[in-house]
Every structure is written in C-alpha cells, then in structure tokens.
Amino acid sequence: MSQIFDFFLNAYSETPTSFIVLEAIAFVFGILSVFYAKKVHIWVYPTGLLATVISVYLLYKAAYFGDMMMNFYYSIMSLYGWWNWSRKNNNSPVVPVSRTNLKEKLVGFFMFSITMFVTYMVYALTGVAIQGENWIDIFTSGVFFTAMWYMANKKIENWTLWIFADIITVPLYAYRGLGMLSLQYLIFTVIAILGYLAWKKSLDKNKEIV
C-alpha cells in the first residue's frame, strides 16, 4: 500500500504547489463532468469546461501537445454541447439520447483519422521527438475527439469510445508520472461503464414507450 502512495506522491515532489492545486481542481471537476454526463445533465459542460481549460495549461507546461490539443478541443466542443443540450421544444430536449446511423459512423471515422493526422503534425511542427508513448497519445486523441463529438450530440456510442480510450490512458499517464490524472482516468472508466448502462436503459425504455 505504501508503494502506491509513494507512486502518487513522488511524482509531485518537485512540482510547484500552484500546479498541484490546479491539477486537483481539474481532477474534481473532470469527475463531476463525467458524473453529470451519465445523468444526461447539462452541468456536464460547465464542470467539464473548467477542467479542460485548466488541463490545457498544465499539459502545455508539460509539453504533452497531443493531449493539450485534445483538451483545447474539449473546451470548444463543451460550448457547442452546452448549447446543443440546452435546446428545447415544448419543454422537451431537441436532442434526445440515440444511436449513430451509418452516416454518423462514417463522420466519426473521418474525424478520428483527421485528428490523428493533425495531432501527429502538432508533434512534428513543435519539434518533439515522437516516441512510443506519443503514438499512443496520437491514437487516443483521435478516439477522444470522436467521443466528445458523439457526446455533444447525445450518441450512446460516445461511452464505448470513452471506455476504450480511458483504459489505454490510465497506464499512459501512470508511465508519465502523472499519478493524479492516471487515477482520474481510472475513475472515468468506471463512470463511463455506468454511463453506457444508464443511457442504454434510457434508450430501451423509450423503445418500449414507442
């Protein structure tokens, strides 16, 4: 048990207190955001927006430009999702929880591919040597990009992508010594599984009503 605590604490032995506080805030609000997403609650976006803006700054300082770019995108997409989820018609959401159709699946694959290419170019243009961990970063960036777009449009497939990419990201951040973020993504994985089950239950219930 002490080794586990040492792993998380040693990573922050030379980290400025201000950075630790910011990471802790992003940690808490990131978890709140996923919790609200599970509940299909509009607060997913203001809480998530705060977490991603802080993450952009921290990842920029750590020179993890792929993750930084993704969090910047999350910030922009949070504004779109906030607007999209807020829209109502006769006091009912204009955008209900649903599954992707073939066109949306193809759009998702296109976004995944383009994001991987753009992330690669970000690393290349900033002169960062692309190591094995960076290739993982490039791949998960594409998955997260697509997942965020699906979530903004209330597509249940967003949870499948979150779960897949979160599982990959947990050991990646642990390897980088970002213990708090690694733990956060482990919690994200659990909540994402619960989110998928909750949204699926909602879909099945709507089918019964129809």
Side-chain angles (χ1 to χ4, degrees), residues 14-169:
E14 298 181 3
T15 303
T17 303
S18 59
F19 281 27
I20 296 175
V21 172
L22 286 174
E23 189 174 337
I25 293 172
F27 177 89
V28 172
F29 279 88
I31 292 172
L32 281 174
S33 177
V34 180
F35 172 77
Y36 283 124
K38 172 183 173 293
K39 296 288 187 180
V40 200
H41 195 290
I42 194 64
W43 273 91
V44 56
Y45 290 110
T47 52
L49 187 60
L50 179 60
T52 54
V53 168
I54 292 174
S55 295
V56 166
Y57 174 73
L58 293 176
L59 291 165
Y60 170 76
K61 287 294 187 180
Y64 294 134
F65 298 113
D67 286 341
M68 180 202 72
M69 188 182 74
M70 279 302 95
N71 277 273
F72 177 75
Y73 164 75
Y74 296 159
S75 300
I76 300 301
M77 186 56 71
S78 289
L79 295 175
Y80 166 72
W82 197 344
W83 168 78
N84 205 27
W85 282 35
S86 297
R87 292 191 298 148
K88 291 186 177 182
N89 184 17
N90 295 325
N91 211 32
S92 296
V94 172
V95 182
V97 173
S98 62
R99 295 186 180 277
T100 56
N101 54 35
L102 178 59
K103 179 181 177 181
E104 289 163 338
K105 284 182 171 64
L106 291 175
V107 171
F109 180 75
F110 174 77
M111 295 176 74
F112 165 76
S113 302
I114 290 297
T115 303
M116 284 188 62
F117 174 75
V118 172
T119 307
Y120 170 82
M121 292 304 297
V122 168
Y123 276 113
L125 293 174
T126 52
V128 176
I130 301 179
Q131 308 294 333
E133 64 176 285
N134 302 119
W135 286 112
I136 297 174
D137 181 28
I138 290 169
F139 174 76
T140 55
S141 293
V143 178
F144 283 137
F145 188 104
T146 308
M148 192 68 182
W149 183 73
Y150 279 161
M151 176 171 283
N153 290 283
K154 289 188 180 177
K155 301 299 178 181
I156 193 172
E157 287 83 358
N158 86 87
W159 291 116
T160 306
L161 297 179
W162 286 123
I163 293 167
F164 175 64
D166 285 345
I167 290 173
I168 296 174
T169 303

Side-chain angles (χ1 to χ4, degrees), residues 171-192:
L172 176 63
Y173 277 143
Y175 171 77
R176 289 172 168 175
L178 298 172
M180 199 180 298
L181 287 178
S182 178
L183 176 60
Q184 183 187 52
Y185 275 88
L186 179 60
I187 297 172
F188 282 171
T189 304
V190 175
I191 300 177

